[in-house]
Amino acid sequence: VFDATMATSEALFVASFIAWLIYPALSLRALHNLPGLRTHFSPISSSQSKLSAADFVLMSANQSPIPKAEAPTDNVFKKIINRPQRANFVFEDDELIVFWDRSPAAAVHLQVVPKQDPVPRDVCALTPEHVPLLLRMKDVAESTLSSKGYSTDQALLGFHVPPWISVPHLHMHVIAPRTAIDWTRRFKYSKNAGWFVCVDSTITRLERSGSVQ
């Protein structure tokens, strides 16, 4: 089931990007409404993009930061975390889980996934309060890469930007060596392209403007 889902997501990624190239005037909202994409990508409403006073109270009580949009509870990564869905695990603690990507783009291709609710739906759902989470994800990626014989300088660490996401649950791709990404996947994992943003750039944008977009 997981393999079929990822294969479908790969096809949707290519199809939606081609549509974006052919119809540059087509807004992201219109893309969300395309029949083939509606079930995979849901737009973030204006009400979701604002934090209430109650949200800030929760943050001050040492709760997980409130994202602009939460990951749905039935997504495949949530199933991996809760174990109904199998995966090849590399690392796990109370906050994060790391497992091998089912469709690797290079010799090492891992997913670093947050576990604690509320989990952001994607990179655009992050707020400045999520910077510590991103730094933690980066640290875990660095130590995991080191155990595989690579450094972060040799790797690509980043996120796809909606609507170019395959699973609506924040996850960071860790790919090494980045110079040897499979040629059929290099376009999908183009560093800091409009559809893929590196973790360092994500942190910088959040700290400077409060948003990835």
Side-chain angles (χ1 to χ4, degrees), residues 139-155:
D139 286 345
V140 168
E142 183 174 5
S143 61
T144 305
L145 282 168
S146 179
S147 70
K148 306 297 179 186
Y150 294 99
S151 68
T152 52
D153 290 338
Q154 298 171 291

Side-chain angles (χ1 to χ4, degrees), residues 159-179:
F159 311 87
H160 280 110
V161 178
W164 324 110
I165 59 171
S166 57
V167 180
H169 184 125
L170 184 70
H171 54 283
M172 184 173 74
H173 291 271
V174 180
I175 307 173
R178 58 184 174 82
T179 55

Side-chain angles (χ1 to χ4, degrees), residues 16 19-20 26-35 37-38 41 163-164:
S16 58
W20 183 66
L26 194 62
S27 68
L28 291 181
R29 183 177 296 276
L31 279 175
H32 283 306
N33 291 327
L34 289 174
L37 299 177
R38 188 181 299 117
F41 311 123
W164 324 110

